[in-house]
Amino acid sequence: MSKNLVIVESPAKAKTIEKYLGKEFHVLSSVGHIRSIAKKTKDGTPPIDVKNNFKTTYEIDSEKKKTITELKKATKAAETVWLATDEDREGEAIAWHLCEVLGLDPTKTKRIVFHEITKSAIEEAVKNPRTVDMQLVQAQQARQILDRLVGFELSPVVWQKVPGGKSAGRVQSPAVRLLVEREREIQAFEGNFQFKVTAEFTHEGVTVKAELPQRFDTEEEAQKFLASLEGAQFTVSDITTSPSKRNPGAPFTTSTLQQEANSKLGFGARATMSSAQKLYQAGKITYMRTDSVNLSGQALAATAEYIKSTFGPEYSEVRKFKTKSASAQEAHEAIRPTDMRLEKGSTNEYDQKLYDLIRRRTLASQMAPAKLEKTTVTIAISSSNLAFEAKGEVVIFDGFLKVYGGGKKDPDLLPALATNDTLGLETASARQTFSRPPARFTEGSLVKKLEDLGIGRPSTYATIINTIQVRGYAEKGEGEGQERDVIVLSTDGTSVEREVVQEKTGSDKGKLVPTSIGMMIADFLGDHFDQVIDYGFTADVETEFDQIATGALARNVMLEKFYEPFHKLIVNSGGIDRAQVAQATPIGNDPKTGKMIFARIGRFGPMLQLGDAKNPDGTDADEKPQFAPMPKGFRVDTVTLEEALKAFKLPRLVGETPEGYPMKANIGRFGPYIQVDNPETKTKLFISIKPLDPHTVTHEEALQFYADKLKAEAEKNIADFGDGIKVLNGRYGPYVTNGTKNAKIPKDVEPNEITHEQAKEMLEKAPEAKGRFAKRKTATKKAPAKKAATKKPAAKKK
């Protein structure tokens, strides 16, 4: 056994580090966190004992017990233990938990950190060990304790008071609020339109594109201007040329990497961090959770050398960027390649795309600015005091654009023109343009907004965005938008033509859209727990975590300051009226019955209700209300009466099966389906028809789904003995079942040759059922135990 034991977080990292350290070192992995706050304690005290200075009880995660056993064994055999978990607060906390579980002294055990997994960085870290930084640990504990307290105390209130509510978190809730506020800005937006005029001229056979700087507010004004161009002369009245410079951006932080990967590669925050993690563990990039834009002196020199040798000395310009974040606590360097010469960072397509983005961004940050020349040509109109402008741009020196940001649409190049040159009009058009509402957030733009507000940290952005989607408070839009009419007026200099064309507007594809439940959660928290979703308050809490990390603030002082007012709100939440929280929204009256249609949130999400359960006087209505699922793409606040009426046309009779059974199309919790009722066996068969619409699915399409379902069922049913015992073909192969117990069929037995007696014998020998059937059995065992308990006092009396 090696004298030195090094413990890291991931198995992938362990292999790389062991290769660099040699035979004297044995490297093992904790596979991430090993302990978490207990759900309950043995002595009944709260896992977080608020009254006892927030004393916290931890428990080893069940799946980590084997890992801990291996680490304990290796720790006893080693002379020196080195804790090499990640360099951020989470990594520091893992190092402390390892000390607690393995019986190591955190004030003496060697702790090493490194920004990159390279031989030189690892060797340097071993030369300069430190001990566990308890201030960083306490900052992590404060975040974990606070999040657990909020989750454990607020989530039950949400379950009770908000239909469909699943949880509320300290940081996820402000993120949901951002989405909801943006959605309401879009709904409240009152758009207007103007007419934008563009023209194409010719000069010596070359086309010159130009635009009128002024916009027209009405069609009449645009029509009048275009008509004035008939027979007019067009002359170059002025040419201005101005040089400009474009500078590169800083190397990536966690936030800017997530934004750019989303914008340029279409990666979500979680996918970006997953790829970055793999690249870091493979030793290809520096640590991926960082607030810093700083590059080390060694990295600056290596980058400059590579740029000079590859592109030439004129392309090199060493820059030192200043980090905006005052705390910049997650690391000391930006995300960069560990070897700038390496073009291939991974054989995986997605990881390589991210590596290439990181590499090009780092190179660009140390390259010369791009030099551009912008030219504006003013074209006078003989019949008007207005003038067209033609703009062009020429790249004089590409600089950093050679590696980053140069792939955009080429700018318009202008032909050689001189003052007083005459141009010929080919065509001019005035197109109706509409003002745009605020854009919905993408994952990247939401990360930027959270960062701007000071909410969350590099290690939490991806988790926040994933959580709000998993909880059903937001979803990725899929809508391509709706068609709208656009007026286009055009002229070739002789007459003005009018045309109405269509364009799509309002696409939410790939954008984060709040759901009906998400909007209700945001309103509920805003009305009753404003502290939880207040942006300034949440940002202040993050700042206080930073202060704990530097020793400027005591952990418990900070926790008490937050918890006391928060807990009072929880105690007073009993009086919140659930009916007021989830009020139904009237949509309009059903023309057939005259009953009101409501949009509301039910137990399983948004739904429609036809009619009311109560009369105006509070008595029960004669007829029960009808219910229908919310149409896809609509929310409680956006569904129209037309769409609602359409929803109540379901179930719809599509036709009959070849056997003469009715086929009805409908939509349920799990999507659109057809239902086939067999009156002979009194059974119902439900068949998914995704992605078809139950309102439009044809008889032929339904029959095909029905045939496919029967075929699948036939292949699944190998034998049916009529008394509930069947031989079925399952996911993991054929088996025997009686509905409550399953028996695996031996490999040497043919499933289709099993007799009824053999099937019964297999079921008798099969182990007891697990899951819900096991619970039933356990429940029946408890009864005799109670009887035995009642007999004992009687025996004592004798």
Side-chain angles (χ1 to χ4, degrees), residues 178-228:
L178 279 170
L179 298 182
V180 171
E181 286 181 343
R182 178 58 54 87
E183 196 66 20
R184 289 194 170 134
E185 284 176 38
I186 294 168
Q187 290 172 352
F189 180 77
E190 293 182 6
N192 54 29
F193 64 83
Q194 289 182 311
F195 283 83
K196 172 186 173 183
V197 180
T198 58
E200 287 188 7
F201 301 93
T202 55
H203 177 69
E204 296 180 355
V206 181
T207 300
V208 179
K209 293 179 181 179
E211 183 180 319
L212 196 72
Q214 293 82 3
R215 303 284 174 99
F216 297 110
D217 293 330
T218 65
E219 183 181 348
E220 290 74 23
E221 289 175 335
Q223 168 89 23
K224 186 178 176 183
F225 173 75
L226 290 182
S228 74

Side-chain angles (χ1 to χ4, degrees), residues 113 141 147 170 184 202 206 247 251 279 365 374 427 445 454 469 522-523 591 602-603 624 636 659 724 744:
V113 293
Q141 287 175 344
D147 289 349
R170 186 185 58 82
R184 289 194 170 134
T202 55
V206 181
N247 287 305
L279 291 169
S365 74
K374 293 184 178 180
T427 180
S445 61
Q469 292 177 77
D523 290 341
R603 186 180 166 195
K624 288 185 178 180
V636 167
E659 302 88 355
K744 194 175 178 183

